[in-house]
Amino acid sequence: MSVIAGIQQNRDRLVALRRDIHAHPETAFQEWRTSDLVAEVLAAAGIEVHRGLAGTGVVGMLRAGGSERAVGLRADMDALPLQEQNPFPHRSRFDGRMHGCGHDGHTAMLLGAAEYLAATRRFDGTVYFIFQPAEEGEGGARVMIEQGLFQRFPMQAVFGMHNWPGLAAGQFAVMAGPMMASADQFEIAVRGRGAHAAMPHQGADPVVAGSALVQALQTIPSRTLDPLDAAVVSVTQFHAGDAYNVIPERAVLGGTVRAFRPEVRDAAEAAMERICNGIAAGFGVEADLDYRRGYPPTVNSAAEAELCRAVAADLVGEANVRADLRPSMGAEDFSFMLQARPGCYVWLGNGLGEGGCMLHSPHYDFNDDILPIGASYWARLAERLLPTPSGS
Ligand code: NI
């Protein structure tokens, strides 16, 4: 693998940086120490540092040459509310917080690329290094955009990367179109009329109506949506009742909806509303749907995906770049940035994930071997996106 020599020489420092972040995980919007560390490393490299977007967000700005072109490279900094089960010395020093998704590695890789690009400056234009808070469920990317990310730092395209257990270490996966799904939440409050369990005819049972709802919601993927569109409707919560002999007043259902296309998302929500109303009328109860839109699907634009594929292939060889993987039903808030700008999100193999070492596992750890590969990818991508006039 032809990682950049200057980055490879810096490997031990990148590993130390990554393990330091791993040992000091911070959850959504609380990434103050990490944010300080990122700002220090960028400033020491001579990169202009802008702080405060979404609280802990950091944007580094590096300019070379005279071109007006600008691109954004993004890493996430937050950890999970998860108890780490690893025994190694760089395990989390804090109960209930853990870098279980490798954002420690993402932050270190982008810092490695920033240092290299600042030292070499073989590009023409502006590179923005975007370090965002709160990728895990809280939508830090959306908050940075709402607070003016793309107005304050105008850029033509934006790029993201996530480590991927299950994919061999150092391989890349790049697909045009959807890479990850949308993730919406719903809650349905079913209000009936309580009664003695021996006299159900005197009440309106929200448990039976709720059970019918659970079944009927499964017909959204199977009967409402085009079979060629992938979607998931999962009811993950059903809360009702306190006694063996009382029909409760109320049942509450909750769950998640996943899809790859906005039209599918709209259709699923509309069908859910229709089914709630129909079941409620049929069972003589009320069913109030609260449908909350979360992350949109993560969709790569075709030209940028092809460019990223070519950069990855130059780095690790054609055979190590996969364009044939299926997208994931997981979700990612980089999707908000891809709604605002063309761009591409890639997976970098973290290794085969033996021993349950998958994302969000309490045994997970980022694979330090891929730090120089990811950092080299970022650096080569910036150089390719912002070529110097001589092409050197
Ligand atoms: Ni993640």
Side-chain angles (χ1 to χ4, degrees):
M1 292 182 190
S2 58
V3 302
I4 296 172
I7 288 176
Q8 187 61 39
Q9 283 158 16
N10 204 20
R11 181 186 186 280
D12 291 350
R13 226 190 105 258
L14 289 183
V15 171
L17 198 59
R18 201 285 292 179
R19 292 185 177 187
D20 179 61
I21 299 170
H22 190 94
H24 301 88
E26 297 168 304
T27 54
F29 296 117
Q30 304 301 315
E31 308 89 344
W32 297 106
R33 182 186 185 277
T34 313
S35 175
D36 287 346
L37 182 71
V38 165
E40 269 170 41
V41 173
L42 293 175
I47 295 170
E48 193 176 309
V49 177
H50 298 266
R51 304 190 66 178
L53 274 184
T56 52
V58 185
V59 179
M61 185 174 100
L62 181 64
R63 208 174 258 151
S67 169
E68 291 295 307
R69 278 190 54 76
V71 297
L73 312 179
R74 167 274 201 180
D76 39 14
M77 302 187 290
D78 58 316
L80 286 162
L82 180 66
Q83 183 66 39
E84 181 156 9
Q85 303 288 345
N86 287 315
F88 46 62
H90 64 276
R91 70 179 174 274
S92 172
R93 297 193 187 164
F94 302 95
D95 278 341
R97 288 190 248 159
M98 176 191 175
H99 269 294
C101 202
H103 300 185
D104 48 347
H106 302 168
T107 300
M109 290 189 294
L110 189 54
L111 286 173
E115 287 181 326
Y116 171 82
L117 289 166
T120 52
R121 297 187 189 236
R122 282 196 283 270
F123 62 93
D124 187 16
T126 302
V127 183
Y128 292 110
F129 304 97
I130 305 166
F131 295 86
Q132 73 152 84
E135 191 285 321
E136 299 287 355
E138 303 287 328
R142 180 178 45 76
V143 178
M144 286 186 89
I145 294 166
E146 285 169 359
Q147 296 185 2
L149 175 68
F150 293 118
Q151 285 75 44
R152 284 182 62 189
F153 310 105
M155 59 190 88
Q156 285 88 47
V158 69
F159 297 84
M161 172 159 46
H162 206 292
N163 78 94
W164 208 247
L167 185 62
Q171 288 195 344
F172 283 83
V174 192
M175 287 85 81
M179 284 285 281
M180 302 195 78
S182 57
D184 299 334
Q185 293 177 23
F186 63 86
E187 188 175 284
I188 304 169
V190 183
R191 271 176 301 153
R193 209 168 55 254
H196 194 300
M199 301 155 202
H201 60 291
Q202 292 176 352
D205 191 342
V207 175
V208 174
S211 303
L213 260 176
V214 173
Q215 298 293 335
L217 292 175
Q218 293 310 309
T219 66
I220 295 174
S222 68
R223 302 290 90 175
T224 299
L225 303 177
D226 186 325
L228 296 179
D229 275 317
V232 177
V233 176
S234 287
V235 179
T236 56
Q237 301 178 37
F238 193 140
H239 305 288
D242 300 297
Y244 289 109
N245 54 1
V246 176
I247 290 170
E249 289 274 328
R250 193 176 139 86
V252 178
L253 282 63
T256 184
V257 175
R258 309 286 172 122
F260 290 118
R261 294 199 306 125
E263 297 81 359
V264 176
R265 209 178 177 196
D266 293 344
E269 180 178 357
M272 192 166 275
E273 186 74 52
R274 200 171 60 236
I275 288 169
C276 284
N277 292 336
I279 296 272
F283 284 78
V285 299
E286 284 175 42
D288 293 324
L289 171 65
D290 178 11
Y291 192 96
R292 288 169 241 153
R293 295 218 165 195
Y295 296 173
T298 302
V299 182
N300 289 337
S301 42
E304 282 71 19
E306 174 49 31
L307 192 128
C308 289
R309 196 205 58 75
V311 169
D314 277 354
L315 191 65
V316 296
E318 293 279 351
N320 288 312
V321 182
R322 305 282 304 269
D324 59 340
L325 297 193
R326 291 181 176 188
S328 165
M329 275 291 173
E332 158 68 66
D333 80 346
F334 183 65
S335 52
F336 288 109
M337 295 192 186
L338 287 178
Q339 281 190 327
R341 292 290 180 278
C344 179
Y345 173 86
V346 303
W347 292 332
L348 171 57
N350 193 59
L352 296 179
E354 288 110 345
C357 189
M358 300 305 283
L359 299 176
H360 297 205
S361 156
H363 303 285
Y364 170 86
D365 194 28
F366 186 86
N367 184 344
D368 286 325
D369 290 343
I370 65 174
L371 285 169
I373 301 169
S376 296
Y377 166 78
W378 278 138
R380 289 292 184 234
L381 179 63
E383 290 171 349
R384 180 79 70 101
L385 290 161
L386 304 170
T388 53
S390 62
S392 66

